[in-house]
Amino acid sequence: MTHKLSINRERLLGQLEQLAGVNRLADRSCCRLALTDADRRGRDLVVHWMREAGLEVRIDRIGNIFGVRAGQTSEPPVMTGSHIDTVATGGAYDGCYGVLAGLEAIRTLNEAGHRTRRPLVLAIFTNEEGVRFQPDMMGSLVFAGDLPLEDALSARAEDGALLGEELKRIGYAGEDCSELRPRAYVELHIEQGPILHEEGGTLGAVQDLQGISWHELIITGTSNHAGTTPMRLRRDAGYCAARISVFVRELARRMGGSQVGTVGVTRLVPNLVNVIAREARITVDLRNTDDGLLNEAEEELRRFVELMMREEGVTIEMRQLARTPPVRFDEGVLGAILKVAGTLGHDIRRMTSGAGHDAQMLARICPAAMIFVPSVGGISHNPREHTEPEHLALGANVLLHTLVELAQ
Ligand code: HGY
Ligand code: MN
Ligand code: MN
């Protein structure tokens, strides 16, 4: 009976566009950094839609939002979801697509009067992006029990804001929801990479996700006059930041395989044309599908930092902001995804996720896996992020039927 069910494509596309419009900037970036007023407005909008769809809305102590749909039994639920916080230059689909497709699946089940055996829970995890507060995937990591709540609440943003205070300020400091621990978790997400698009594929069954290492480096040298200071006397934090940035790129190239490396933040002080920088704050993002190789990459970075301190007479403090090992997802949940795609008559390919996702944290407490749809040109974390409407609808239908399959 349920195999005839199909989501309402126009309703899903309309809600995606409406949520994307919450704090959309002039260059069309979606900008809803975790726990800002913009994030609150996005949260309030989706909570309103959740209630309209008859979900019982619960908020936990790190601000994760859970929409609960009763099942025929009160057995542990099947959970789906993602995040609706964005990077500052976000697109319309990263995270939001998984949440709103999950909501659309629930509305479709409501309209069909279909009650799954297990309850369904739609989750919106706090601070998945980790841009304003680190680490990333923070809300799901706390929910999985591997980041103490107090540590998360005491995270401090560069602008000085304290996470726990921000959570209270926007009205999303809730209560314990650990009884919602799921039997299984499936997350629908855009690929954010080029593989499906380049292959002309439409669906991905994500079987694993690479390890992630984030460091912040504070490089301290000596400010001096750009014209009068001989090169031999300089302790130039700006130069060291540039050397480390080049090192990270060359390290990734040299290691090859799945190794990637990014220096995404470079802030110089005083950042003036005729002053040698006394301080540089940079971030280093290293990722690899193999944890041993990722450890090696981190060790090489540490050795290069030591060399910079010796050669250039600067001090460099390294602070780990995030470190998650590679994750293999659950073959049972993957099997349900593959079966549903086959029943719907669509090809699907197994693949690895280059991006971090809340699913990697849920995988620590229950069987979990992900569904990908193509990103045009592999563009993401960029307002040009785009996925074709027919792929958005197809992914949502695969999610709908996978939830039914897992919740029976
Ligand atoms: O960094 C990531 O992979 C994710 O977007 N937070
Ligand atoms: Mn995401
Ligand atoms: Mn993202």
Side-chain angles (χ1 to χ4, degrees):
M1 195 289 270
T2 55
H3 64 275
K4 290 264 186 275
L5 290 182
S6 181
I7 58 106
N8 180 321
R9 168 173 149 161
E10 293 323 307
R11 189 167 54 188
L12 171 61
L13 297 178
Q15 290 203 331
L16 279 164
E17 194 49 32
Q18 212 176 325
L19 179 54
V22 175
N23 209 48
R24 191 166 226 166
L25 308 182
D27 69 353
R28 297 192 59 72
S29 288
C30 300
C31 181
R32 297 192 303 275
L33 296 187
L35 309 184
T36 57
D37 285 337
D39 185 25
R40 177 184 52 74
R41 295 204 324 268
R43 285 165 168 258
D44 292 351
L45 178 61
V46 181
V47 164
H48 168 67
W49 287 337
M50 282 176 153
R51 291 199 168 109
E52 265 184 349
L55 296 177
E56 179 212 346
V57 175
R58 303 277 306 282
I59 315 288
D60 79 0
R61 292 181 298 178
I62 193 63
N64 294 322
I65 300 167
F66 300 102
V68 183
R69 184 180 195 260
Q72 295 168 21
T73 73
S74 53
E75 292 176 40
V78 169
M79 184 181 281
T80 188
S82 192
H83 61 96
I84 61 171
D85 66 298
T86 71
V87 296
T89 55
Y93 305 115
D94 178 359
C96 302
Y97 171 53
V99 170
L100 295 181
L103 184 57
E104 179 52 36
I106 284 167
R107 272 194 300 263
T108 304
L109 291 172
N110 290 347
E111 287 162 354
H114 181 82
R115 184 68 51 193
T116 52
R117 192 169 65 79
R118 291 178 178 277
L120 295 177
V121 173
L122 175 62
I124 303 174
F125 292 107
T126 294
N127 187 32
E128 188 278 344
E129 292 294 1
V131 165
R132 187 179 178 216
F133 300 100
Q134 292 83 33
D136 56 350
M137 284 77 74
M138 183 189 272
S140 46
L141 187 55
V142 171
F143 184 69
D146 284 355
L147 176 65
L149 176 68
E150 287 319 310
D151 291 2
L153 295 176
S154 59
R156 196 172 284 278
E158 212 189 337
D159 61 13
L162 204 55
L163 190 140
E165 293 308 311
E166 285 293 87
L167 208 50
K168 276 189 264 189
R169 186 181 65 80
I170 67 167
Y172 278 91
E175 83 279 341
D176 180 59
C177 294
S178 49
E179 82 281 2
L180 294 178
R181 189 184 178 108
R183 162 72 185 78
Y185 177 82
V186 56
E187 180 168 351
L188 173 63
H189 206 287
I190 53 170
E191 180 199 333
Q192 301 182 287
I195 296 167
L196 287 173
H197 180 69
E198 285 176 355
E199 289 179 355
T202 53
L203 290 169
V206 186
Q207 61 183 11
D208 63 342
L209 190 152
Q210 60 183 352
I212 302 174
S213 157
W214 284 3
H215 280 95
E216 174 193 60
L217 277 63
I218 306 287
I219 306 165
T220 307
T222 305
S223 247
N224 217 324
H225 194 294
T228 58
T229 311
M231 297 312 285
R232 60 186 168 79
L233 294 182
R234 294 186 180 209
R235 294 172 355 110
D236 184 342
Y239 168 70
C240 293
R243 281 285 301 274
I244 292 168
S245 197
V246 168
F247 170 80
V248 166
R249 164 64 73 100
E250 288 170 350
L251 172 67
R253 282 265 169 82
R254 179 162 37 86
M255 291 183 71
S258 66
Q259 184 64 47
V260 290
T262 312
V263 172
V265 172
T266 297
R267 287 206 177 80
L268 299 184
V269 176
N271 206 36
L272 301 172
V273 61
N274 56 358
V275 180
I276 300 166
R278 70 163 179 276
E279 182 183 291
R281 174 178 179 269
I282 68 173
T283 58
V284 180
D285 177 322
L286 297 169
R287 307 196 191 195
N288 199 304
T289 51
D290 178 297
D291 211 33
L293 291 175
L294 187 54
N295 287 330
E296 274 180 40
E298 289 183 308
E299 188 46 39
E300 288 229 32
L301 173 64
R302 273 189 283 275
R303 279 203 293 272
F304 188 75
V305 163
E306 299 288 332
L307 175 70
M308 280 291 95
M309 287 198 279
R310 282 197 308 277
E311 277 188 358
E312 298 298 326
V314 295
T315 58
I316 303 178
E317 292 161 61
M318 270 181 85
R319 183 164 71 97
Q320 183 116 51
L321 299 178
R323 181 63 168 91
T324 52
V327 164
R328 274 210 69 83
F329 287 125
D330 175 77
E331 280 303 319
V333 177
L334 280 165
I337 296 168
L338 295 166
K339 179 183 168 194
V340 164
T343 308
L344 293 177
H346 285 271
D347 291 337
I348 185 167
R349 59 107 81 205
R350 285 172 173 262
M351 58 197 300
T352 295
S353 175
H357 297 288
D358 293 308
Q360 73 188 91
M361 303 309 180
L362 274 287
R364 298 178 183 207
I365 58 172
C366 71
M370 296 185 73
I371 306 161
F372 273 174
V373 291
S375 292
V376 173
I379 301 283
S380 185
H381 285 186
N382 177 318
R384 288 178 37 238
E385 182 179 276
H386 183 66
T387 296
E388 298 305 339
E390 60 271 21
H391 294 157
L392 293 170
L394 172 60
N397 273 318
V398 173
L399 177 67
L400 164 64
H401 292 285
T402 302
L403 289 173
V404 170
E405 178 79 13
L406 293 172
Q408 285 314 74

